[in-house]
Amino acid sequence: MLLALSCAACGGASTPETSATSRRDISGVWAGPPLPTLQEPAPFTPAGQARYDANKPTWGPKAVGLAESNDPLITCDPLGFPRSILYETRGFEFIHTPMRTIQLLQYQRAWREIWTDGRPLPTAAGGQPPDPRWYGYSIGRWEDDATFVVETAGTDERGWVDYFGRPHSAAAHFEERYRRAGPEMLEVTVTVTDPDTYTRPYVAMKQMFVRADTQELEEQLCVPSEAIEYFRTIAAPAAAVGDRAP
Amino acid sequence: MTAVVMVVSADSAALGHHSTAAYDTKTITVKGAVVKRFVWANPHSVIWFDVKDGRGRVTTWGVESGSPSALTRVGWTRTSLKPGDAIAVELFPAKNGAKVARLARVVLPDGKELLDSVFKASPFDTIQRK
């Protein structure tokens, strides 16, 4: 807030830290909730239903205990995209460079490269999806002065869409819309288009993020050795079938 | 204490990494606990403590809490608890009777309280309220 006020007083001059009202600029650190509010997905296709049935999340209508879950997060696998914008969104940052925008993700200190140099999304031979990657391939463009639109494809289907265990295929296409909704507000809308998995496109999330006061990302890691120890000594005993009824 | 239980019931999603279905939704308070080990770790820090019953039998508990980054934000450090510290611990015990739990709060020997990170607002919540 102080930064925005000081910018208002400075007659329009803008630095990366005071760019709250700048055009075509979503740089800086944005803060969101650990678990964003998600919207209901479109109905599954048969293949999508089979993938969903195989996933065992710890949240939602089919939640299981941590010890029975196959959430990739438990072993500190990458969140991957789109889960990185639909889960653990306590902090992310954008940095604009001439050819690409970088998204730094607080969780696991990962990053995404969003190319803005006009290149298309990559395809493999025969127009097939490119070799899958946990964070896929992304391109971005400014739809207007306040809205940055990112398209992503080629995401590894080992990653989940969200913390409810909803799946996606390697052929999925995602759109993120980052809209400056105010000097300190960023509205993020994520649309999933995956005909292999869902019968129609659907909006997975529409969530407001706020400009972080400190403009610092925290170190928020999942450390495999520590996670294994935690799982062995706390999560597994807590989830074991006990001799006392709940 | 009642207020603390209500907070976690309403806001358990703030834990983030996984649900807390394995734990009771009501707390118990363990007095006369002695810290064995404080594991300052990701994704969850763990307090290990011993407590003696009336017959002198020792039970060891493991109580999970927030990550170092989350706990730091609400006033903890990696040396907040040291082996031998005498504390009281309010916790959500495992439903199955295992001596593991989710932390609610710790009361230190000097009476100071340290809440688990889930009970204090995240920066996101704080900013939103402005």
Side-chain angles (χ1 to χ4, degrees), chain A residues 229 233-234, chain B residues 30 32-40 46-52 57-63 78 80-89 99 106 108:
Chain A
E229 178 74 4
T233 61
I234 299 291
Chain B
V30 179
V34 178
V35 175
K36 280 184 85 172
R37 193 170 156 231
F38 179 38
V39 182
W40 185 250
V46 179
I47 304 164
W48 293 97
F49 67 81
D50 285 341
V51 62
K52 278 185 189 170
R57 289 179 304 199
V58 175
T59 302
T60 300
W61 283 82
V63 182
R78 66 166 63 239
S80 289
L81 297 174
K82 291 176 281 298
D85 282 354
I87 56 174
V89 186
K99 297 303 180 189
V106 170
L108 301 175

Side-chain angles (χ1 to χ4, degrees), chain B residues 49-124:
Chain B
F49 67 81
D50 285 341
V51 62
K52 278 185 189 170
D53 67 11
R55 298 179 195 168
R57 289 179 304 199
V58 175
T59 302
T60 300
W61 283 82
V63 182
E64 65 168 298
S65 56
S67 66
S69 66
L71 290 179
T72 299
R73 203 186 297 137
V74 296
W76 294 66
T77 71
R78 66 166 63 239
T79 58
S80 289
L81 297 174
K82 291 176 281 298
D85 282 354
I87 56 174
V89 186
E90 184 180 358
L91 52 82
F92 298 87
K95 290 175 183 172
N96 66 6
K99 297 303 180 189
V100 293
R102 177 78 198 196
L103 181 67
R105 63 177 173 152
V106 170
V107 183
L108 301 175
D110 63 2
K112 185 183 168 193
E113 290 189 4
L114 288 171
L115 293 183
D116 186 29
S117 47
V118 71
F119 297 107
K120 294 214 177 174
S122 72
F124 173 71

Side-chain angles (χ1 to χ4, degrees), chain A residues 106-138:
Chain A
Q106 175 172 297
Y107 191 79
Q108 294 290 52
R109 295 184 80 86
W111 75 92
R112 298 169 65 204
E113 293 172 306
I114 301 161
W115 292 96
T116 54
D117 58 352
R119 72 181 65 188
L121 284 171
T123 55
Q128 294 302 303
D131 195 25
R133 305 197 304 199
W134 282 96
Y135 289 93
Y137 304 78
S138 299

